[in-house]
Amino acid sequence: MKSAALTIALDIRIADAVYRLGGAATLPQILAEAGINPCKLHDLRRVMRVLTVSGIFTVQQPEMAAEAPGCRHDEAAVYKLTAASRLLVRDKSSTTGQVSPFLSVHLFLTPWRESQMGRCMQAWFRQDQQQPGPSLFALANNAQTIWERAEGDAAAFPFNNAMASDTAFLMPIVLKECGEVFHGLTSIVDVAGGLGGAAATIAAAFPNLKCTVLDLPHVVAKAPSGTNVQYVAGDIFENIPPANAVFLKVRPTPDICPIICLI
């Protein structure tokens, strides 16, 4: 993730934009100075989060009272250059007459920059359109979504197995740290629960809790038999089986940890 964020910073010249703005700038200012469409603001925020955690930039969060009217909190944060991010600045070389140190960083990042995903990231951020457009994944996979890629080539792209692996790792931690949220429930439906790994773990820990998994028909068709979990084929946007609570386990984006919701 650090290499990916550094590649984006180098290719769309984030450090140069901040440098030209006096060494400190907000996300909207960086977008405007770098010539990036404003619709990419939230994606740039994720990149800058990686770069600030890594120490490449620093960030100063605004006082709530100091925020401009109508300005979101994350849009008012000020990002500043550090000794590390100054190595990414190209504009300094034109004023000092010296060779810019960014050339060495450019060389070290070449393997990532020349990879398929690296090229797609640069092209995606440079898209000049009012809407975000195709995802990075789609750009790198011939316009396929994650689901289409997984269905078409499960051997090379075992997405469902990876999600099952993630569930097997995460659910024991959830039950240990947050198991009290299931107390008092008699029924629960796991929406988009796949083959029922999470529901089966909950059912094993709470034998009196009726656990149901709701997923699309082609997923439920592959569900294991002989378990204490009930499987229902359906669509979350059309109907959800009645239960005390709805269980959601989602990973919105690659840079965000899995989120567990009990509704």
Side-chain angles (χ1 to χ4, degrees), residues 188 246-250 259-263:
I188 188 172
V246 172
F247 181 83
L248 296 172
K249 174 180 173 291
V250 295
I259 296 175
I260 300 295
C261 300
L262 196 63
I263 303 172

Side-chain angles (χ1 to χ4, degrees), residues 8-234:
I8 295 171
L10 192 68
D11 287 338
I12 67 175
R13 305 186 70 165
I14 293 175
D16 283 311
V18 178
Y19 176 75
R20 291 194 296 268
L21 292 166
T26 63
L27 288 178
Q29 290 171 335
I30 295 172
L31 284 171
E33 186 66 26
I36 305 300
N37 195 292
C39 72
K40 296 294 195 295
L41 185 144
H42 298 300
D43 304 286
L44 180 62
R45 176 176 58 81
R46 293 188 176 100
V47 172
M48 295 303 291
R49 179 187 299 166
V50 176
L51 294 173
T52 53
V53 169
S54 303
I56 307 300
F57 290 86
T58 60
V59 60
Q60 179 181 346
Q61 298 295 344
E63 297 290 340
M64 297 299 293
E67 294 182 25
C71 182
R72 287 171 52 93
H73 183 73
D74 57 354
E75 296 179 21
V78 176
Y79 295 88
K80 299 181 178 181
L81 293 175
T82 66
S85 51
R86 288 182 185 276
L87 296 176
L88 305 178
V89 177
R90 310 182 199 191
D91 287 350
K92 290 192 299 182
S93 61
S94 61
T95 58
T96 63
Q98 298 177 345
V99 177
S100 175
F102 94 90
L103 290 173
S104 60
V105 181
H106 184 281
L107 177 63
F108 296 146
L109 288 173
T110 294
W112 176 264
R113 294 180 67 251
E114 293 184 350
S115 68
Q116 183 182 26
M117 185 58 73
R119 291 194 300 269
C120 287
M121 284 194 300
Q122 181 181 0
W124 187 81
F125 266 96
R126 289 293 186 186
Q127 284 176 337
D128 187 17
Q129 53 191 46
Q130 296 304 313
Q131 298 298 325
S135 68
L136 271 172
F137 186 90
L139 284 177
N141 289 272
N142 298 318
Q144 288 184 312
T145 65
I146 287 179
W147 320 112
E148 290 169 340
R149 177 84 164 87
E151 184 177 357
D153 194 359
F157 189 73
F159 179 78
N160 292 327
N161 290 342
M163 292 298 95
S165 174
D166 183 71
T167 296
F169 166 75
L170 186 64
M171 285 309 300
I173 300 174
V174 171
L175 292 175
K176 179 181 178 180
E177 301 294 335
C178 311
E180 66 275 3
V181 301
F182 298 100
H183 293 164
L185 298 178
T186 59
S187 60
I188 188 172
V189 55
D190 184 359
V191 171
L195 300 183
T201 304
I202 296 171
F206 299 92
N208 295 325
L209 181 58
K210 179 184 177 182
C211 295
T212 301
V213 170
L214 171 68
D215 215 312
L216 296 173
H218 72 274
V219 176
V220 172
K222 301 176 182 178
S225 58
T227 70
N228 53 353
V229 175
Q230 179 183 359
Y231 293 87
V232 175

